[in-house]
Amino acid sequence: ALMVAALFVFVVRPAINDTTDRAFDSADRALGDYLSPASFAAVVTRVKRELGPGAELLDLTVSRQGGGNVKYRTGDRAAGLQWRPGHAGLDPVKVTLVGSGKLADNVFPIAKLDPTASAKLAAAVRSETGPGFEAQTMTLSLNPATGKVQWTVTGESDGRALVFTAKSDATGVKQVG
């Protein structure tokens, strides 16, 4: 669990920084919404094709305007891929693990990654908040407290920042912040 938390703290992920999302100029925004069902499904398909059906993930994060990244296990090490506005394809990124935990205890099967998850999560969260909610990021990762795979969705509604969690199948949505 410490290793997963350290990944969030120490791995540079500028594509998922909400402040950076707001700072993108109109040219970058014209490239599309990475959380739209079509864009999200395309990214998931590319990631699954690149990593293969037996891959083990540490996490996957997608932001509305900034692209995203996936961190995965490769033997006894971790590696990553990122995608971003204005660039086609998946680029390798370095992943540094910090902490005393074992990599094998912090991964989950790529099969948990559903190409329809963004649509399911958006619908489930909007049923809780109403139509004004706009998701900014969606992250699939292990919950450090329970060890279960879950989604974390951040976004805004009526000027308020909100955070939700859901099971890996996009059910059981709960507001946590």
Side-chain angles (χ1 to χ4, degrees):
L2 245 180
M3 190 175 352
V4 172
L7 282 170
F8 286 108
V9 173
F10 295 106
V11 176
V12 177
R13 299 184 319 170
I16 63 167
N17 183 314
D18 286 340
T19 303
T20 303
D21 281 348
R22 291 183 195 108
F24 282 132
D25 64 28
S26 59
D28 281 341
R29 291 189 188 280
L31 292 172
D33 175 353
Y34 288 94
L35 295 178
S36 73
S39 293
F40 185 86
V43 164
V44 168
T45 299
R46 284 194 326 224
V47 166
K48 285 185 166 190
R49 185 173 47 238
E50 177 81 18
L51 300 181
E56 296 176 305
L57 305 182
L58 286 152
D59 68 38
L60 171 124
T61 298
V62 180
S63 72
R64 177 170 301 286
Q65 303 295 339
N69 67 71
V70 61
K71 291 180 276 312
Y72 59 96
R73 179 180 175 174
T74 175
D76 63 349
R77 300 176 54 161
L81 297 169
Q82 73 176 2
W83 54 96
R84 60 191 185 278
H87 188 270
L90 301 170
D91 293 322
V93 292
K94 182 178 178 182
V95 174
T96 302
L97 300 176
V98 179
S100 60
K102 295 180 183 177
L103 179 60
D105 295 338
N106 290 286
V107 295
F108 57 92
I110 198 168
K112 295 278 187 183
L113 183 54
D114 178 0
T116 65
S118 81
K120 292 176 184 175
L121 287 165
V125 169
R126 283 193 182 109
S127 74
E128 297 285 319
T129 65
F133 181 79
E134 184 173 327
Q136 296 300 318
T137 64
M138 294 182 180
T139 300
L140 183 65
S141 63
L142 286 178
N143 178 317
T146 66
K148 294 183 179 181
V149 181
Q150 74 174 26
W151 283 102
T152 302
V153 179
T154 65
E156 294 181 7
S157 180
D158 298 324
R160 294 183 10 236
L162 300 173
V163 179
F164 294 86
T165 60
K167 296 177 184 176
S168 63
D169 66 358
T171 63
V173 170
K174 296 179 188 172
Q175 185 174 345
V176 295

